[in-house]
Every structure is written in C-alpha cells, then in structure tokens.
Amino acid sequence: MLPCYAMIAGLGAPVIRACGMTLLVLLGKKLKHPISPICAISLVFVASFVINPYVLFNAGFQLSYAVSFAILLGSPLISRARSHFGKGLIISVISTLASALILLFHFF
C-alpha cells in the first residue's frame, strides 16, 4: 500500500522519505533483523541522493530530512517527558531549531 500512496501523493521528497523509512523498518521486522530508524533514514537519504543528486537543492527534501533526523536524535529527551504536553513542546522546539536555518536560507 505504501508505494501506491507515494505515487498518489506525487512522489515528493518527504513522501519518499516517510514511505522508504517505513518500508525498511517493517521489512527489517519481518526478516527478524531490525533496522533502527536512524539507519533507515540514512539509507533512504543515500538512495534518494544516488537516484537524483539535485534533490539536495529542494527545500522540502532538506526540511524533511533535517527535522526527522533531529527528532530521531532527540527521542531520548522526548521519552523523558512525563506529559503529552511536555513531549509536544520538546518536539516543537527540536523541529523549530532543526528547520530554522533552512527556512531562513530559502525563504528569508
């Protein structure tokens, strides 16, 4: 279903990242060789770059990978929060910090 969804959604960089990561993690669980989300995002990044190197200049690509990677790296901090509000606040701060420079560069 994920490849069909990706095609319907237009095969944008964020959609390819999300579908690719999900497929790798699920495939790893199915084959009883789990793949960490950090490895999954790295493999999808490299595959996207090898297929189309110019995708690095796409703002959506940069934002999707930067924010997702920052949230994955910040997951120990997020898991320490006790309330849903605290987790949401930490995720918002991490996302804002991860995307600030990219947004300033592309959109002034």
Side-chain angles (χ1 to χ4, degrees):
M1 294 297 291
L2 282 174
C4 293
Y5 168 73
M7 290 183 65
I8 290 170
L11 291 173
V15 176
I16 291 173
R17 182 207 44 83
C19 290
M21 283 181 63
T22 304
L23 282 172
L24 285 175
V25 170
L26 291 175
L27 184 66
K29 284 185 179 187
K30 179 113 174 131
L31 297 175
K32 300 198 186 324
H33 189 336
I35 298 173
S36 73
I38 297 286
C39 287
I41 196 171
S42 300
L43 289 171
V44 174
F45 177 86
V46 169
S48 296
F49 178 71
V50 167
I51 291 169
N52 181 11
Y54 295 108
V55 77
L56 283 178
F57 301 112
N58 184 342
F61 177 86
Q62 293 173 5
L63 286 168
S64 178
Y65 280 92
V67 171
S68 297
F69 191 71
I71 290 172
L72 287 172
L73 290 179
S75 61
L77 181 64
I78 296 166
S79 65
R80 278 191 257 157
R82 294 187 177 135
S83 68
H84 292 295
F85 178 78
K87 289 180 183 188
L89 182 65
I90 292 169
I91 291 172
S92 294
V93 169
I94 290 172
S95 300
T96 301
L97 292 174
S99 64
L101 291 176
I102 298 168
L103 289 172
L104 286 172
F105 178 77
H106 286 286
F107 305 110
F108 307 109

